[in-house]
Amino acid sequence: MESTMNELGNAASVLDIDPKTAVGGGVEDVYGEDFATEDQLITPWTVSVASGYSLLRDPRHNKGLAFTEKERDAHYLSGLLPPVVLSQQLQEKKLMNSIRQYQLPIQKYMAMMELEERNERLFYKLLIDNVEELLPVVYTPTVGEACQKYGSIFRRPQGLYISLKEKGRVLDVLKNWPERSIQVIVVTDGERILGLGDLGCQGMGIPVGKLSLYTALGGIRPSACLPITIDVGTNNEKLLNDEFYIGLKQKRATGQEYSELLHEFMSAVKQCYGEKVLIQFEDFANHNAFELLAKYRTSHLVFNDDIQGTASVVLSGVVSALRVLGGSLADHKFLFLGAGEAGTGIAELIALEMSKRTNTPLEECRKRIYLVDSKGLIVKSRFESLQHFKQPWAHDHEPVKTLLEAVNALKPTVLIGASGMGKTFTKEVVEAMSSFNERPLIMALSNPTSQAECTAEEAYSWSKGKAIFASGSPFDPVEYEGKVFVPGQGNNAYIFPGFGLGVVMSGAIRVHDDMLLAASEALAEQVTDAEYEKGLIYPPFSKIRKISAEIAAKVAAKAYELGLASRLPRPANLVKYAESCMYSPVYRNYR
């Protein structure tokens, strides 16, 4: 990854820290929530001590019917609530029963968002305790539909909107956000939302959803998370003609105008929040995603989940599958459908891991990996016409037009889909993969579910039960000839929450490729023998908080090893330290 960024950028390493890029600012836990244990009393501060009706309208401190009689008396709540006092567990049971009554996923999504707006801790308690059931509701695939309908379902702002109208005063806009202690920012310009294309300002659902997972799965404090949408217009004619569209009704700004706004934003973030705020680029179009990562990786703490997060989780699945496939990483041949930011990012990280394990030059390792784009196999004869991020993957091979032809010509052992186009792993493709592999690894990673290259049922039935299958969106278990196959989900949510926690708790000031490799290896280590027997190459999401702590510890350890960590001294037990840093959604008792 860094090698590719070197080719695109100024050839500087993230380890070459420029002291001139450091700006004042930073993060701190103003009210001591991080340092308080769950049984300690805390004060429900807002601007002043929240009480009465204002306390019930403050989502961070509201407990609804769980306020004790003593708390109701002390905070002027008597008469404002029915007399019953419920436990948080009973509230959770009641709400889950209500959510399960809804027939449509979008209705469940809206119910969860409304809960977050009125009772933050209960929202996260529900999400953490029912993660396998609610993850597809608050994130992919349902969040895609939510973004498409964001203008219609918009209730109240959940993040910060920075548009071209604010150019020249972005710092002032950032200062309007009520929280000063920001640790993680997820930012999008809405140009490439999942596999749905340009959704403009309505892409805000993605940063909001990602940051809810940073908290629920990675334990980052909700008040330390900031979702941002940069609105530079949209080229989606349907949205431009929609009277309910919430963004700028103009064509997308490009070139210098776009670059200047993004640079002002990046400078303002560092000035406002300091050197150690993690900025995650999310769902930018290919041409901007690579350039932004290359431009800012040596001056800011930046991470692109579409390029780096996806790559890390897929690499983990591949490493994990080696226990079933046999052989080493270098013994396998990889074929990708899709050569955008996800496809090339995954390919590069696999090549880096292969190079690290075999002590072979990166260029040689790339020769084991082939990519197919919309024009066919990427080969040397197409080099001059290729976008810069595809050029490292142009190999000596005769031109091949279709995926099926590429499969038959190359005979890969691993087939990875990152095309954003559904139904592209056809029956013929899967049957071909199965004809020359005892256990082909097939990963249909595109989101949402409708855009998956094939379904789990198709992969298992067409391969006659031989395939090891993983997807980006969830699929139900499949029964084939009396055997039940449980498909793995190569969801980025395995990686980015724990990765973010590791970066934050170590005080890392840059992201290095070795930190991504450490995250991949940590995730692969979490799969048990019993889970392998079920066909899983990823651990169940029910263990995600534990998994995130392990990933955070490995990422932090690598940051300390590379000299990128600023939080000293290094904790003796990084796993325990990670667990101690994690936000707990359990209600606190108020004075």
Side-chain angles (χ1 to χ4, degrees), residues 455-582:
T455 66
E457 185 175 3
E458 289 167 345
Y460 293 125
S461 60
W462 291 342
S463 69
K464 295 182 169 53
K466 292 168 69 174
I468 301 167
F469 178 78
S471 58
S473 290
F475 284 103
D476 292 330
V478 174
E479 184 175 346
Y480 178 79
E481 293 188 351
K483 185 176 180 181
V484 176
F485 294 89
V486 183
Q489 187 187 357
N491 194 317
N492 292 20
Y494 276 117
I495 290 289
F496 71 79
F499 184 85
L501 177 62
V503 166
V504 168
M505 76 183 207
S506 64
I509 54 176
R510 298 291 180 269
V511 170
H512 191 277
D513 284 342
D514 285 356
M515 294 159 69
L516 297 167
L517 296 177
S520 295
E521 292 162 3
L523 176 58
E525 289 168 4
Q526 301 305 307
V527 187
T528 66
D529 290 336
E531 287 154 4
Y532 279 118
E533 288 176 13
K534 295 178 184 176
L536 290 170
I537 55 175
Y538 293 104
F541 258 107
S542 56
K543 303 193 300 185
I544 190 61
R545 295 271 282 197
K546 178 181 180 298
I547 293 165
S548 292
E550 295 286 346
I551 291 172
K554 289 286 178 68
V555 169
K558 186 58 69 172
Y560 282 107
E561 182 186 321
L562 294 169
L564 293 173
S566 64
R567 184 154 292 152
L568 300 172
R570 170 180 167 157
N573 188 322
L574 286 169
V575 175
K576 284 188 176 178
Y577 182 63
E579 290 170 345
S580 73
C581 289
M582 287 177 134

Side-chain angles (χ1 to χ4, degrees), residues 360-377:
T360 306
L362 181 62
E363 292 72 20
E364 287 299 310
C365 295
R366 285 174 176 161
K367 292 176 181 177
R368 302 288 303 167
I369 303 170
Y370 292 82
L371 282 74
V372 172
D373 65 7
S374 59
K375 294 180 174 62
L377 189 66

